[in-house]
């Protein structure tokens, strides 16, 4: 029974099948919102599904100069690790036994793997554009990891203090605390951290002002220059799931427990919280990703780096200091 | 069943790659204009990609100068199947005003199979969209 349930979790609900659907759907919703904001009709919402299946039907080419095994395996590793994170994040009342192992530190480590996979894949493709893209991705990672880690520290420390333990990094404790005592973004010392996290989201998923590593107009899609066919489809899918995972992480850390328990049965509660979670995901997608994508143009790599090491870092440090001072 | 989905998706998501072989930039600007809010070809799922590896439709502009000929043919051979080649403007069709020059190799169809040709100097955006829709119909019947 336990094993069957585990398989269901891994393959169907928060795992593979669900991630596949929600990742591509979120990409489609994002494209549609941006199109409507620019007064265009825009592609249908299921457009990324068409893209994915078309890419499946394309000829598979592995360039001669590429390191073949790494080139093929890199996107797959990225996809697997991002799906693993999706298993770890609790959705309000919906919890799997994977959540007991969920730890913010593990999630930070796993979150770097898709970016690393992109870097390795791009560098292994044997194209100079891939090399340039990979180096830009490294710089971006250095940029956004710092505020991200400080934000997680601030939240862990705050919830730890409120529950009279040392800092807690277990996501399930953080969510449980919020279900009992209301969402964490109402603690005013955590508001700067929440803002910093919102600023990290567009860079982590590589959407427009920060899509410097795969800029199609200047470096021919950067790291993705040699990827075509299904491997590129896997990369796109990873990007979609990353949107879901980042926003879910935000909701789990700052906005859990907004809706009260509607009934005594866990099943009904889980169902309601999943629906609510999806609605929240779309709202935050609009605020943090689409709005920015529709109104800004790509910035240069050193501008992005400077931005991340000033404003988001300052905000998250402010939060950490406030929490440390006991506010 | 799976093949059906892939065939349907092929029609719904053609990605363009724009290959300039020494054009005067008139055609290029007109091609970009079809992606603007006024014409919005993204509603057909059309997207401009930066690399030939992801392209389904290659749009070639310019009179194929001697300098760019080898490179253009190399790029065209990098596009994975199924692919469709569209020649945009009068330049790749005949050489246009540059015809007879020592430094151009037009017409393009001496070297590759061109599926759709859109004439004009430069063609109107409506004509370009029409040409691309024709290209999508050809793409449907091509096998990967
Ligand atoms: S067809 Fe006319 S507009 Fe187009 S590239 Fe040739 S000369 Fe320029």
């Amino acid at each position: 029974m336990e094993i069957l349930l585990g398989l269901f979790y891994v393959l169907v609900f928060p795992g593979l099948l669900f991630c596949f659907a929600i990742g591509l759907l979120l990409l489609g919703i994002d494209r549609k919102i941006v199109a409507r904001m620019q007064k265009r009709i825009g592609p249908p919402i299921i457009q990324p599904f068409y893209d994915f299946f078309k890419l499946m039907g394309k000829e598979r080419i592995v360039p001669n100069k590429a390191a073949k095994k790494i080139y093929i395996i890199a996107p797959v590793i990225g996809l697997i690790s991002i799906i693993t994170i999706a298993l770890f994040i609790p959705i309000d009342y919906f919890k799997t036994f994977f959540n007991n192992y969920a730890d913010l530190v593990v999630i930070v480590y796993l979150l770097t793997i898709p970016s690393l996979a992109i870097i390795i894949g791009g560098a292994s493709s044997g194209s100079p554009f891939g090399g340039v893209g990979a180096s830009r991705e490294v710089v971006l990672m250095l940029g956004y990891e710092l505020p991200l880690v400080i934000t997680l520290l601030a939240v862990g420390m705050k919830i730890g203090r409120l529950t009279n333990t040392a800092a807690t990094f277990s996501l399930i404790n953080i969510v449980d605390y919020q279900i009992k005592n209301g969402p964490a973004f109402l603690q005013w010392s955590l508001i700067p951290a929440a803002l910093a996290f919102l600023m990290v989201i567009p860079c982590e998923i590589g959407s427009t002002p920060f899509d410097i590593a795969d800029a199609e107009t200047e470096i021919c899609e950067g790291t993705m220059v040699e990827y075509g066919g299904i491997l590129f489809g896997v990369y796109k899918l990873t990007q979609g799931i990353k949107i879901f995972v980042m926003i879910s992480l935000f909701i789990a850390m700052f906005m859990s427990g907004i809706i009260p328990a509607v009934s005594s049965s866990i099943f009904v509660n889980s169902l309601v919280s999943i629906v609510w979670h999806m609605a929240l995901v779309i709202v935050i997608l609009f605020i943090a990703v689409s709005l920015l994508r529709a109104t800004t143009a790509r910035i240069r790599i050193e501008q992005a780096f400077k931005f991340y090491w000033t404003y988001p870092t300052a905000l998250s440090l402010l939060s950490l200091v406030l929490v440390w001072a006991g506010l | 069943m799976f093949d059906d989905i892939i065939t349907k998706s092929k029609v719904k998501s053609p990605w363009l790659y724009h290959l300039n072989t020494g054009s005067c930039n008139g055609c290029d600007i007109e091609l970009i204009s079809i992606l603007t809010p006024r014409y919005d070809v993204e509603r057909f799922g059309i997207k401009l990609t930066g690399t030939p590896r992801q392209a389904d439709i290659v749009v070639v502009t310019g009179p194929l100068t001697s300098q760019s000929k080898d490179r253009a043919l190399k790029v065209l051979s990098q596009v994975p199947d199924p692919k469709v080649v569209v020649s945009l403007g009068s330049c790749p069709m005949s050489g246009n005003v540059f015809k007879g020059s020592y430094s151009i190799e037009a017409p393009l169809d001496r070297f590759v199979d061109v599926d759709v040709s859109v004439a004009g100097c430069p063609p109107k955006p409506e004509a370009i969209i029409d040409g691309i829709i024709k290209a999508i119909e050809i793409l449907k019947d091509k096998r990967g």
Side-chain angles (χ1 to χ4, degrees), chain A residues 31 38 40-43 47 50-51 53-54 56-59 61 216 220-221 224-228 232, chain B residues 2 5-6 8-10 12-13 15 37 40 42-43 45 47 49-51 53-56 78 80-82:
Chain A
R31 275 174 81 173
Q38 296 173 341
R40 291 187 282 128
I41 298 170
Q47 181 64 40
Y50 292 137
D51 292 350
F53 287 116
K54 176 209 72 178
M56 262 175 126
K58 293 285 279 185
E59 185 186 358
I61 297 177
E216 78 278 6
C220 307
E221 307 271 347
M224 288 298 123
V225 63
E226 293 289 350
Y227 279 98
F232 184 67
Chain B
F2 218 59
I5 297 179
I6 289 177
K8 181 146 187 271
S9 307
K10 224 160 48 180
K12 292 277 190 180
S13 130
W15 289 0
D40 185 32
E42 204 189 352
R43 65 183 194 268
K47 205 181 91 167
T49 70
T51 155
R53 294 278 192 219
Q54 295 158 13
D56 303 292
Q78 281 177 342
D81 285 329

Side-chain angles (χ1 to χ4, degrees), chain A residues 40, chain B residues 16 27-44 46-48 59 88 123-133:
Chain A
R40 291 187 282 128
Chain B
L16 297 188
C27 288
D28 311 274
I29 291 173
E30 294 300 318
L31 177 66
I32 299 304
S33 82
I34 67 168
L35 293 156
T36 55
R38 188 179 186 105
Y39 296 104
D40 185 32
V41 285
E42 204 189 352
R43 65 183 194 268
F44 304 122
I46 296 173
K47 205 181 91 167
L48 209 59
V59 182
L88 187 63
K124 288 179 89 173
E126 288 87 349
I128 300 177
I129 296 175
D130 188 45
I132 287 173
I133 300 295

Side-chain angles (χ1 to χ4, degrees), chain B residues 22-28 30 61-63 88-92 95-98 120-123:
Chain B
S23 120
C24 77
N25 222 2
C27 288
D28 311 274
E30 294 300 318
T61 59
L88 187 63
S90 300
C91 278
N96 203 8
V97 286
F98 309 109
C121 179

Side-chain angles (χ1 to χ4, degrees), chain B:
Chain B
M1 190 200 95
F2 218 59
D3 281 349
D4 287 350
I5 297 179
I6 289 177
T7 317
K8 181 146 187 271
S9 307
K10 224 160 48 180
V11 181
K12 292 277 190 180
S13 130
W15 289 0
L16 297 188
Y17 177 70
H18 172 206
L19 179 61
N20 182 335
T21 62
S23 120
C24 77
N25 222 2
C27 288
D28 311 274
I29 291 173
E30 294 300 318
L31 177 66
I32 299 304
S33 82
I34 67 168
L35 293 156
T36 55
R38 188 179 186 105
Y39 296 104
D40 185 32
V41 285
E42 204 189 352
R43 65 183 194 268
F44 304 122
I46 296 173
K47 205 181 91 167
L48 209 59
T49 70
T51 155
R53 294 278 192 219
Q54 295 158 13
D56 303 292
I57 299 178
V58 191
V59 182
V60 186
T61 59
L64 203 66
T65 56
S66 316
Q67 286 280 331
S68 67
K69 189 197 99 190
D70 288 340
R71 295 174 177 88
L73 297 183
K74 202 170 168 186
V75 168
L76 280 172
S77 68
Q78 281 177 342
V79 180
D81 285 329
K83 68 175 170 205
V84 174
V85 179
V86 177
S87 80
L88 187 63
S90 300
C91 278
M93 276 175 83
S94 62
N96 203 8
V97 286
F98 309 109
K99 191 168 181 181
S101 162
Y102 61 90
S103 65
I104 67 158
E105 309 273 343
L108 176 70
D109 54 13
R110 274 167 48 198
F111 306 103
V112 285
D113 293 334
V114 176
D115 297 282
V116 181
S117 294
V118 184
C121 179
K124 288 179 89 173
E126 288 87 349
I128 300 177
I129 296 175
D130 188 45
I132 287 173
I133 300 295
K134 289 215 172 75
I136 294 173
E137 271 156 29
I138 294 171
L139 184 69
K140 192 163 86 182
D141 300 325
K142 291 212 173 179
R143 289 275 169 269

